[in-house]
Amino acid sequence: MAGEETAKIASEDIKKDIENLLQDKFEMPEFFEPGGEEDNFFGLRGLLQPRELSYLAYILEQRYGIQFSMEDYDDSRFYSLSGLSEIVAGLI
């Protein structure tokens, strides 16, 4: 149980880090509120272009010393803020 709690805390910290990257590097609006459809990078609001998501993945790999696999890119969670933070937390 303690491991799950630690993973959840790590995932939340990573999520905040990704939110900051989105606002700093990709000029996301400050009113960006993750959750629901808006949490999806390619949802109705189209928050990122595919090239920007590739750059975000590269930044995260460098920052956390991880490497995304083909399975990670194919995982539907990869395309949302919450899911991406869970994947990163699972790789570190």
Side-chain angles (χ1 to χ4, degrees):
M1 189 69 152
E4 289 179 25
E5 188 65 29
T6 303
K8 183 171 176 67
I9 291 169
S11 180
E12 288 299 317
D13 290 343
I14 293 167
K15 187 175 177 180
K16 286 290 184 200
D17 188 35
I18 295 172
E19 285 178 25
N20 290 335
L21 279 171
L22 289 171
Q23 290 175 353
D24 294 344
K25 301 279 186 191
F26 302 102
E27 299 179 7
M28 289 293 209
E30 289 185 30
F31 59 83
F32 169 69
E33 301 242 354
E37 184 63 34
E38 293 180 4
D39 192 13
N40 190 319
F41 298 130
F42 301 114
L44 294 175
R45 294 182 59 202
L47 298 173
L48 290 178
Q49 298 296 318
R51 182 179 193 166
E52 293 171 325
L53 183 58
S54 297
Y55 183 50
L56 176 62
Y58 172 77
I59 292 170
L60 294 172
E61 286 179 332
Q62 298 302 306
R63 181 171 290 193
Y64 291 102
I66 60 173
Q67 185 169 2
F68 293 112
S69 67
M70 292 305 290
E71 290 81 21
D72 294 326
Y73 287 109
D74 289 339
D75 188 331
S76 61
R77 297 179 304 156
F78 194 86
Y79 302 100
S80 72
L81 178 58
S82 299
L84 182 56
S85 61
E86 290 172 7
I87 291 171
V88 172
L91 293 173
I92 55 176

